[in-house]
Amino acid sequence: MRDLDLLDAAPFVDIAPERADPDPENGLVTAAMITATAFRMKDMDGLLLALRTLVDAVDRFERARDTA
């Protein structure tokens, strides 16, 4: 019987992207989308977590705007 998994013979390469500061505007939009989704799904636990994430994202956005 032949082994059909061709990836077994391929070398493993661990490529990790360099850590970069997240874009505050992108984080703000993502947090707003998550909050809206949790609200629409009527998920109260998720909404509470999403609102906390949104508050943190707004804080990071305002700090980035003030330093620029």
Side-chain angles (χ1 to χ4, degrees), residues 17-52:
E18 292 183 21
R19 302 276 303 178
D21 292 331
D23 182 21
E25 187 174 332
N26 189 21
L28 183 62
V29 171
T30 301
M33 294 293 292
I34 291 171
T35 303
T37 302
F39 178 77
R40 297 276 312 217
M41 292 178 63
K42 297 180 174 89
D43 177 14
M44 292 306 131
D45 293 331
L47 181 59
L48 183 61
L49 180 62
L51 286 170
R52 289 179 180 162

